[in-house]
Amino acid sequence: MNYRLLSRYLGIVALLLGGSMFLSLPWSWPVLGASVVFERGAFFGLAASIVATMGVAALLLYWGRRAKGRLYRKEAMATVGLSWVLAAALGALPFLLSDTHQGASQRMSLADAFFESASGFSGTGATVITDVEDPHLVPRAILFWRSETHFLGGLGIMVLFVAILGEGSAGKALLLAEMPGPNRETGRTRVQHAAWAFTVIYLGLNVLLTAALLVQGMSWFDAICHSFGTIATGGFSTYNDSIAHFHSVGIEMTIAVFMVAACTNFALLYMLLIGHPRVLLKDVEFRVYIAILAAVTFMLVAFGLHYRDFAGIGEAFRYTFFQVSSILTNTGFSTDNFDSWNEIGRGTLFVLMFVGGCAGSTSCSIKIVRHILFLKIAWIEIERSWRPNVVRTLRLGGTPISDPAVRHNVLVYFGLILILFVGSWMLLDVLEPDESWSNLGHARHEKLIDCASGVGATINGVGPGLGTIGAVENYAHFQPTSKLLFVFLMIVGRLEVFPVLVLFVPRFWRSH
């Protein structure tokens, strides 16, 4: 392991994070309209965070100033994994150093701040803050920083890093380490060009959505924050009841459309922009993505009309389409308390947590291309069990996949997700006392399902779960150790397991 080179890259990441904190400072002043008084605690808390972050950057850059050698895959994976941990740690500073409270009389603890920061950068959108609307608990400048973490983590720290600095072959290694998966096209084009193309699309979607929300009556502060949360598929809102606060069909449908767009492969969006829409329509992953969205929406509308007192098909479609889009894209916004839906609706949304958007998008969870390949591999193996002499070629969209590593990667990935989910579920059930559910007015037997939904919601980047962490609830009641477990799951899910798990392998850190 080339530790000096690793230190240099981590120093640059810290430098970029410190610089980005400056964008939150102006919201401390009443002149922008977000706050009514100068937020002294938030301003100086952010200023102190900037100084501390720049100090960390200086130390890392100083130690790595004489770095030599190339950035190989091992160093790239270490850089990516540690960058996200570093970002979550440094991103927690504004919550700790400002006058930010988790609840009415409880300041943010270290575990709370780390949780909130990791949730923002990973695009999970889970929160431990009980009332985000009270500026005495959460200053507006800190609330903006909270949403800004979505913006920074949405496209990927390394994508922005490579877009700005390039780094040649090292940039390619960084992108491949941060965007793992069986559907990567990075090697076919110049890396910096691809990073810049994705960044421009990402920025363009944010600008378009902000403008659309402003036209529909949102303030600049709310429009920018909700744009960050939508395009990054994060889900942080500036209101306790999320998008339901606006009581606007137009705002709901606008955000839903942009959530769907943000979970489309950015390479396909690029082809659409340069005048090749057929590439988007012919892509098998995109077609399956839209088919799942439509099928689940119509299924739940049918069951919703049967079990719930909707005013009609229009209202049923309004709430169901938005919520299915939010969960499928792993955003986590809500317009209705889906935890009060019937068991079929709740169960379907829970399963949907494990289905992400397209590869090359801002979504988390298990990308749809992995599900497609897994089902194809499963069918080939089932047929082979009774026709062992028949040879079937694994195909994706008509294109044969001859690399056996792809099949191996898909199967191992599903196995690791299953192990992490079940293991974390059981561990969380042990860590959390039964009395926590009783104190919240819930039956003790609900803890098992709530813990399962909490693990599913964090490892898949969804945010809200079921029961005590439903659409109108939060994660404040969990033990500090449990919150740190959630932090681990959020980062693991965002980086698709491998770049994080290798950090725990001793041989990975050896020089040779």
Side-chain angles (χ1 to χ4, degrees), residues 464-481:
L466 302 174
T468 58
I469 49 173
V472 296
E473 305 294 341
N474 55 70
Y475 287 72
H477 64 278
F478 282 98
Q479 302 295 312
T481 309

Side-chain angles (χ1 to χ4, degrees), residues 99-105 129-132 134-140:
D99 194 24
T100 302
H101 287 66
Q102 179 208 76
S105 59
I129 300 174
T130 58
D131 187 359
V132 298
D134 188 348
H136 298 292
L137 299 181
V138 189
R140 301 303 88 178

Side-chain angles (χ1 to χ4, degrees), residues 150-164:
H150 274 340
F151 176 80
L152 295 171
L155 187 60
I157 296 171
M158 289 302 110
V159 176
L160 296 174
F161 180 95
V162 173
I164 296 171

Side-chain angles (χ1 to χ4, degrees), residues 153-467:
L155 187 60
I157 296 171
M158 289 302 110
V159 176
L160 296 174
F161 180 95
V162 173
I164 296 171
L165 300 177
E167 296 297 322
S169 60
K172 178 180 177 180
L174 290 169
L175 286 188
L176 292 177
E178 186 173 63
M179 302 174 67
N183 191 31
R184 297 173 295 183
E185 301 294 335
T186 310
R188 297 184 182 181
T189 185
R190 291 185 299 114
V191 171
Q192 192 173 14
H193 174 75
W196 265 116
F198 288 2
T199 301
V200 169
I201 292 171
Y202 184 68
L203 292 173
L205 289 173
N206 273 278
V207 171
L208 286 174
L209 180 55
T210 299
L213 296 177
L214 286 171
V215 169
Q216 295 181 75
M218 274 197 192
S219 66
W220 276 99
F221 182 80
D222 289 340
I224 295 173
C225 288
H226 284 92
S227 177
F228 287 170
T230 301
I231 306 305
T233 61
F236 277 154
S237 176
T238 54
Y239 296 97
N240 296 325
D241 49 358
S242 192
I243 308 302
H245 171 85
F246 299 101
H247 304 287
S248 169
V249 178
I251 288 176
E252 292 170 16
M253 293 302 104
T254 299
I255 288 177
V257 169
F258 274 88
M259 284 192 295
V260 173
C263 272
T264 302
N265 191 325
F266 275 36
L268 298 178
L269 293 180
Y270 175 75
M271 298 303 294
L272 181 66
L273 287 175
I274 62 175
H276 298 286
R278 290 186 179 180
V279 177
L280 174 67
L281 299 177
K282 289 173 62 177
D283 185 76
V284 63
E285 185 183 28
F286 178 74
R287 295 203 306 269
V288 172
Y289 169 48
I290 297 301
I292 292 173
L293 176 63
V296 175
T297 298
F298 284 115
M299 184 190 77
L300 292 187
V301 165
F303 281 108
L305 283 172
H306 180 70
Y307 289 103
R308 289 199 65 194
D309 187 23
F310 287 118
I313 293 179
E315 184 177 290
F317 178 83
R318 169 187 173 182
Y319 289 114
T320 305
F321 173 69
F322 186 93
Q323 210 55 66
V324 170
S325 300
S326 181
I327 299 298
L328 178 62
T329 61
N330 316 129
T331 306
F333 281 140
S334 63
T335 55
D336 189 33
N337 182 14
F338 58 82
D339 197 45
S340 66
W341 291 10
N342 59 72
E343 292 304 299
I344 294 176
R346 294 171 75 244
T348 301
L349 292 182
F350 177 71
V351 172
L352 210 60
M353 289 181 183
F354 292 86
V355 182
C358 301
S361 70
T362 62
S363 73
C364 300
S365 193
I366 306 174
K367 301 296 191 296
I368 288 174
V369 66
R370 290 190 187 274
H371 286 281
I372 296 172
L373 290 173
F374 180 80
L375 292 175
K376 286 179 176 289
I377 293 169
W379 172 248
I380 289 173
E381 294 302 320
I382 290 171
E383 185 182 22
R384 185 177 294 172
S385 68
W386 57 277
R387 301 179 68 183
N389 295 324
V390 173
V391 178
R392 299 291 186 194
T393 302
L394 180 64
R395 294 177 180 272
L396 182 65
T399 303
I401 300 176
S402 56
D403 188 356
V406 173
R407 178 183 301 206
H408 179 73
N409 177 281
V410 170
L411 295 178
V412 170
Y413 183 79
F414 271 89
L416 287 174
I417 288 293
L418 178 61
I419 292 171
L420 285 169
F421 172 73
V422 174
S424 300
W425 178 17
M426 295 296 99
L427 177 59
L428 187 62
D429 192 54
V430 171
L431 292 173
E432 289 299 311
D434 294 343
E435 290 73 20
S436 297
W437 270 252
S438 301
N439 295 336
L440 292 170
H442 291 257
R444 294 188 178 187
H445 68 267
E446 295 178 11
K447 186 178 80 167
L448 193 66
I449 299 301
D450 291 0
C451 288
S453 72
V455 171
T458 49
I459 198 172
N460 293 310
V462 176
L466 302 174

Side-chain angles (χ1 to χ4, degrees), residues 28-46:
S28 302
W29 299 86
V31 67
L32 292 182
S35 60
V36 295
V37 296
F38 172 60
E39 297 176 333
R40 183 182 183 88
F43 182 87
F44 287 106
L46 277 166

